[in-house]
Amino acid sequence: MSKEVEQWQAEIDEAQAQLNDDSLGRRERKKLEKLIKSNEKSIANYHKWMGRADKMEAAGNKLQSTGKKMTKAGAHVTGAVWTPVLYAGYQGVKHARKKPKNESIEQDLIELVKEVEQAEKQGMINEEQKREYIIDFVDNYYKA
């Protein structure tokens, strides 16, 4: 328990001990009863908000864990996030896998590299993204 809760509980215990004294007047009794109710309410609120904070922390940890799992699994970027040029290039390469065997997969890689370089020159992507697209193609599609 926290120091605040321990302090509130100590005040409650002390007030209850004083309530047992028969020499107290009505005002003093009412004052002690009010103090006890106030401290009990403070303790209840403390536990309520700490419970909510724990739940939020657990939810945050789950989200973080999910994000790490997605990254570890190599979640691929969807077409909705890609620039139109790169997405069209990706679809072309994907379609190229179904081309007749007389066209080579090396040609598809060359076309992808050209499209990615063009997109970088136009400012649609940066150097890091360019590398990621090429590495993704080589790792996932170029294995002939």
Side-chain angles (χ1 to χ4, degrees):
M1 268 198 236
S2 73
K3 291 181 181 180
E4 293 95 7
V5 174
E6 290 174 2
Q7 181 181 358
W8 292 325
Q9 190 61 45
E11 288 177 7
I12 289 172
D13 294 339
E14 183 181 327
Q16 285 176 342
Q18 289 178 2
L19 277 176
N20 293 335
D21 187 12
D22 292 334
S23 64
L24 286 178
R26 199 169 119 202
R27 281 189 177 175
E28 290 87 15
R29 280 190 184 281
K30 197 163 192 147
K31 186 177 179 182
L32 290 173
E33 289 171 354
K34 187 175 179 181
L35 176 68
I36 290 170
K37 283 184 183 180
S38 173
N39 285 350
E40 286 174 346
K41 186 174 181 180
S42 296
I43 290 172
N45 283 335
Y46 174 84
H47 288 300
K48 178 178 85 173
W49 288 109
M50 287 305 293
R52 288 183 182 177
D54 291 341
K55 286 180 184 177
M56 288 183 68
E57 184 179 2
N61 289 339
K62 282 184 182 178
L63 285 173
Q64 188 175 16
S65 172
T66 302
K68 286 180 182 177
K69 287 178 185 174
M70 288 174 65
T71 303
K72 188 175 181 179
H76 296 286
V77 179
T78 63
V81 179
W82 288 7
T83 61
V85 172
L86 288 176
Y87 186 65
Y90 170 75
Q91 289 297 330
V93 170
K94 189 174 171 185
H95 181 15
R97 298 284 288 175
K98 298 176 184 175
K99 289 181 181 178
K101 291 196 176 206
N102 58 359
E103 294 185 26
S104 69
I105 192 89
E106 288 84 10
Q107 186 63 35
D108 294 335
L109 177 61
I110 292 169
E111 290 174 14
L112 176 69
V113 170
K114 286 180 184 178
E115 290 175 1
V116 170
E117 286 177 348
Q118 182 183 7
E120 183 189 16
K121 286 179 185 175
Q122 294 175 352
M124 294 181 178
I125 62 170
N126 59 28
E127 182 74 24
E128 173 105 11
Q129 290 171 320
K130 180 176 109 174
R131 281 190 204 115
E132 288 176 9
Y133 294 134
I134 293 171
I135 290 170
D136 179 57
F137 177 82
V138 171
D139 287 345
N140 296 319
Y141 305 106
Y142 191 65
K143 297 176 184 177

